[in-house]
Amino acid sequence: MVGEIKGQITAGKGKYAIVVSRFNEFITSKLLGGAIDCLQRHGASDEQIQLVWVPGTCEITIAAKKLADSGKYAAVLCLGAVIRGQTSHYDYVCQQVTRGIAQINYEGKTPAVFGVLTCETIEQAVERAGTKRGNAGSDAAMTAMEIADVIGQL
Ligand code: INI
């Protein structure tokens, strides 16, 4: 019999931090609603969920790193929406958040889940924020619970 570790998708007893960007709030509030709903449907109480609002996606990892380092959370969910404009700003915001989340994960203390939409158009973001293509916040919550359970078994 091979050894096998599989994560359960249940909130368990751990706490979940959600860092959410106010920039493009009309989208990120939908991601946040999806994430909270998903955590609650899988057993999380209000006390198990800590929200932190930050100005924009570039600032997500500033807060996420502190939360991850605190050791208080089973996972940190990072929610944002980056939508391409007329300049290259989009690319820098995407780079910054991608690197920051990867860095937290390399450090290995607490998993940080990438729930950041990176879209060419507003329509693409709307589709991924609770309409045609599901809700990326809810997907991030599922991932957070599963990876937290996996990490807990390692
Ligand atoms: N922040 C976002 O969350 N999404 C965006 O689409 C975005 N764009 O395109 O500019 C954005 N910019 C702000 C950025 O995250 C910082 O808050 C800002 O640069 C100050 O550091």
Side-chain angles (χ1 to χ4, degrees):
M1 235 338 222
V2 298
E4 184 178 17
I5 291 173
K6 265 192 190 170
Q8 301 290 315
I9 303 183
T10 164
K13 296 197 185 316
K15 290 183 79 174
Y16 294 83
I18 305 178
V19 184
V20 58
S21 157
R22 278 192 294 101
F23 202 103
N24 290 328
E25 193 266 349
F26 74 107
I27 295 292
T28 62
S29 60
K30 300 292 182 196
L31 302 182
L32 178 60
I36 292 175
D37 177 66
C38 182
L39 289 169
Q40 288 178 335
R41 282 172 187 266
H42 290 84
S45 63
D46 287 354
E47 292 68 38
Q48 283 175 270
I49 304 173
Q50 177 65 58
L51 294 187
V52 180
W53 286 93
V54 294
T57 294
C58 281
E59 288 73 42
I60 286 176
T61 47
I62 304 171
K65 165 100 174 98
K66 279 212 128 185
L67 292 159
D69 285 352
S70 76
K72 290 186 198 162
Y73 299 96
V76 179
L77 286 72
C78 301
L79 305 181
V82 196
I83 302 171
R84 194 184 284 283
Q86 289 175 341
T87 69
S88 55
H89 192 69
Y90 167 97
D91 300 298
Y92 297 107
V93 177
C94 292
Q95 271 173 27
Q96 176 137 340
V97 70
T98 308
R99 283 210 195 129
I101 292 175
Q103 184 64 40
I104 293 169
N105 285 320
Y106 291 142
E107 286 168 15
K109 183 150 185 167
T110 307
V113 177
F114 192 91
V116 178
L117 292 176
T118 57
C119 297
E120 298 296 312
T121 64
I122 289 175
E123 289 70 23
Q124 287 177 348
V126 169
E127 285 183 357
R128 290 159 178 80
T131 63
K132 276 192 200 166
R133 290 178 191 264
N135 184 310
S138 169
D139 295 346
M142 296 285 274
T143 303
M145 290 184 278
E146 184 173 349
I147 191 64
D149 194 54
V150 170
I151 298 296
Q153 295 179 55
L154 299 181

